[in-house]
């Protein structure tokens, strides 16, 4: 529990401050830290009794001579959780160093507790990262789902609860998008701060939050009995807004579907990552993307580039030859995603409805098909999505 590196750091720093040599032993009486480095590794006999009784002891010159490795001074127990884990000793005449004893003991115990808490937190973070990585890579042919359920339970997480996967991507925008004078952030350096920000929003004890790569954070969020996806979306927007408020950062969030099994969580996490990738469209300014809104895009992306190229060539070749193809493509997309409603389409495009009508007439003239022919329009819609996916 008391590491030699921490003991040496505490002993060295404390010795320099009080002007007397400080040494720290483990529970067996072996010196693991000392302002006098030559004493490290030696046996300090007085510490054995101090650890046993958890009572301080003082030794004058004659008493110290009768004990192995002991010099005049005071020796006090280091106690944490009701158990003595070692001792701290101060070398000097008892009258000189006794006044420092309690102060040094308390300071050392505080630093020890902080070290244990930090190590525990780091171990918990690493365990959560490993668990999330194993769920993301889950293959029922390789590992039993029950094994991951058991491992999660050891960490205090019940994977049988209704959860939904969330994937967050934090990036540094290009220089033109950053505020003037804002510093460039290193994702690896601000990882802890980003995790803390996400955990402040996803604060349920059953929420599994872990970094998956620099700038990437995964969450397996427990959906409360009365919780809704709308509430989750609001939370994700809040996270994105808080991160975006930090100079030089931008955040996007992908959300999967609810699940209650390891296999379902695997699919949910993959869906969340797909939502991030597929939602990164210039026309989509929202930082939060739900896979439920992108299922068609997901299926089309899985088809393969060759098939998407063929769809584009056979369905939208004449439109793609137009100099304003991106505008026409966005119009078709908005028309279909707005339920073939002119008012909603114009609102989605942020233009006057008459402009939408003009563009639709142009599209109909070039394709030779009315946009109210839903079957033909849906084929054109898929071609437009294929173009956005890089099918061309």
């Amino acid at each position: 529990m008391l590491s030699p590196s921490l003991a040496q750091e505490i002993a060295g720093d404390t010795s320099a401050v009080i002007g007397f040599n400080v040494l720290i032993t483990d529970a067996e009486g072996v010196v693991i830290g000392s302002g006098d480095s030559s004493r490290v590794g030696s046996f300090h006999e007085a510490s054995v009794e101090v650890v046993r009784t958890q009572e301080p002891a003082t030794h004058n010159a004659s008493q110290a001579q009768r004990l192995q490795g002991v010099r005049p001074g005071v020796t006090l127990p280091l106690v944490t959780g009701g158990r003595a884990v070692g001792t701290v000793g101060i070398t000097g005449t008892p009258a000189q160093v006794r006044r420092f004893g309690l102060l040094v003991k308390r300071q050392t115990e505080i630093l020890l507790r902080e070290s244990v808490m930090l190590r525990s937190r780091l171990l918990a973070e690493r365990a959560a990262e490993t668990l999330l990585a194993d769920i993301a890579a889950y293959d029922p042919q390789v590992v039993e789902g029950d094994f991951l359920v058991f491992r999660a339970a050891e960490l205090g997480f019940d994977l049988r609860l209704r959860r939904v996967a969330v994937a967050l991507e934090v990036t540094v925008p290009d220089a033109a998008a950053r505020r003037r004078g804002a510093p460039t952030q290193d994702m690896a350096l601000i990882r802890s701060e980003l995790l803390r920000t996400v955990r402040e929003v996803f604060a349920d004890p059953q929420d599994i939050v872990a970094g998956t790569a620099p700038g990437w954070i995964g969450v397996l969020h427990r959906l409360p009995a009365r919780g809704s996806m709308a509430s989750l979306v609001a939370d994700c927007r809040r996270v994105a807004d808080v991160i975006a408020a930090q100079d030089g950062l931008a955040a996007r969030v992908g959300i999967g579907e609810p699940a209650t099994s390891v296999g379902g969580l695997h699919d949910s996490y993959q869906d969340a990552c797909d939502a991030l990738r597929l939602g990164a469209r210039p026309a989509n300014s929202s930082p939060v993307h739900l896979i439920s809104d992108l299922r068609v895009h997901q299926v089309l992306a899985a088809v393969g580039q060759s098939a998407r190229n063929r769809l584009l060539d056979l369905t939208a070749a004449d439109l793609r030859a137009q100099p304003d193809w991106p505008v026409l493509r966005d119009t078709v997309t908005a028309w279909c995603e707005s339920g073939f409603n002119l008012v909603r389409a114009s609102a989605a495009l942020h233009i006057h409805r008459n402009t939408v009508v003009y563009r639709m007439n142009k599209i109909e003239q070039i394709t030779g098909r009315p946009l109210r022919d839903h079957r033909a329009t849906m084929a054109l819609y898929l071609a437009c999505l294929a173009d956005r996916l890089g099918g061309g």
Side-chain angles (χ1 to χ4, degrees):
M1 182 178 292
L2 184 57
S3 68
S5 59
L6 176 62
Q8 183 58 43
E9 182 180 354
I10 294 173
D13 291 348
T14 309
S15 297
V17 170
I18 68 175
F20 295 94
N21 184 60
V22 172
L23 65 79
I24 297 175
T25 76
D26 61 16
E28 305 301 322
V30 177
V31 177
I32 57 176
S34 175
D36 178 1
S37 59
S38 65
R39 301 186 68 182
V40 174
S42 64
F43 179 63
H44 190 264
E45 186 177 355
S47 293
V48 176
E49 184 66 13
V50 170
V51 168
R52 187 185 70 81
T53 63
Q54 295 191 20
E55 294 291 336
T58 59
H59 304 89
N60 57 31
S62 61
Q63 291 171 326
Q65 285 181 347
R66 293 194 293 268
L67 297 171
Q68 181 181 344
V70 178
R71 297 179 184 176
V74 60
T75 306
L76 303 100
L78 293 175
V79 180
T80 179
R83 183 168 65 92
V85 297
T87 68
V88 57
I90 309 174
T91 303
T93 63
Q96 289 178 307
V97 300
R98 188 179 288 111
R99 57 197 175 100
F100 294 110
L102 187 59
L103 176 63
V104 172
K105 166 184 163 66
R106 287 180 175 173
Q107 183 63 27
T108 303
E109 288 175 344
I110 289 172
L111 292 174
L112 176 59
R113 285 195 295 271
E114 289 179 348
S115 173
V116 170
M117 290 176 61
L118 176 61
R119 184 171 182 272
S120 177
R121 185 165 65 248
L122 291 175
L123 288 175
E125 287 186 1
R126 183 62 58 85
E129 289 175 10
T130 302
L131 177 63
L132 183 58
D134 287 345
I135 290 173
Y138 172 69
D139 183 345
Q141 301 300 319
V142 176
V143 62
E144 290 285 344
D146 288 344
F147 174 70
L148 292 182
V149 171
F150 173 77
R151 274 184 45 203
E154 288 187 316
L155 300 174
F157 302 119
D158 186 353
L159 294 185
R160 296 167 299 180
L161 298 176
R162 186 167 177 260
R163 298 173 181 273
V164 63
V166 176
L168 295 96
E169 180 188 25
V170 182
T171 58
V172 180
D174 57 42
R178 295 198 304 267
R179 300 178 190 173
R180 181 174 298 178
T184 299
Q185 302 277 18
D186 186 324
M187 291 298 105
L189 294 178
I190 63 173
R191 176 178 178 276
S192 295
E193 183 179 347
L194 290 174
L195 284 171
R196 183 169 58 252
T197 297
V198 175
R199 288 192 179 109
E200 286 176 354
V201 176
F202 294 101
D204 190 302
Q206 281 293 323
D207 285 345
I208 303 174
V209 181
T212 57
W216 282 77
I217 296 174
V219 181
L220 298 181
H221 170 61
R222 183 182 76 89
L223 282 173
R226 297 183 180 180
S228 66
M229 292 297 288
S231 176
L232 174 59
V233 170
D235 287 340
C236 290
R237 289 186 185 279
R238 184 150 54 97
V239 169
D241 289 344
V242 171
I243 293 175
Q246 304 178 43
D247 287 344
L249 294 179
R252 295 173 51 248
V253 186
I255 302 175
E257 299 274 16
T260 56
S261 67
V262 173
L265 287 173
H266 166 79
D267 293 340
S268 182
Y269 186 75
Q270 297 303 319
D271 283 346
C273 294
D274 282 350
L276 267 181
R277 176 171 57 89
L278 298 170
R281 298 178 292 165
N284 192 343
S285 59
S286 172
V288 180
H289 315 286
L290 289 87
I291 193 62
S292 56
D293 295 334
L294 298 164
R295 286 299 184 191
V296 174
H297 308 66
Q298 187 182 40
V299 171
L300 192 61
V303 168
Q305 183 170 322
S306 177
R308 295 200 301 268
N309 286 344
R310 183 172 171 80
L311 176 64
L312 271 168
D313 292 340
L314 296 176
T315 308
D318 293 338
L319 283 177
R320 295 181 70 221
Q322 302 300 310
D324 58 348
W325 158 241
V327 170
L328 300 178
R329 180 193 63 194
D330 290 347
T331 302
V332 172
T333 302
W335 169 249
C336 293
E337 293 182 353
S338 299
F340 310 105
N341 183 284
L342 184 60
V343 174
R344 289 198 292 268
S346 61
L349 293 168
H350 305 291
I351 57 178
H352 194 275
R353 58 182 294 172
N354 289 343
T355 305
V356 177
V357 171
Y358 168 77
R359 292 180 185 177
M360 290 175 63
N361 288 336
K362 181 176 181 178
I363 292 168
E364 290 176 344
Q365 290 174 2
I366 294 172
T367 62
R369 289 178 176 271
L371 286 177
R372 295 190 182 277
D373 178 351
H374 292 170
R375 292 182 62 183
T377 302
M378 287 306 298
L380 184 58
Y381 169 64
L382 292 176
C384 290
L385 294 186
D387 186 72
R388 279 180 168 169
L389 290 171

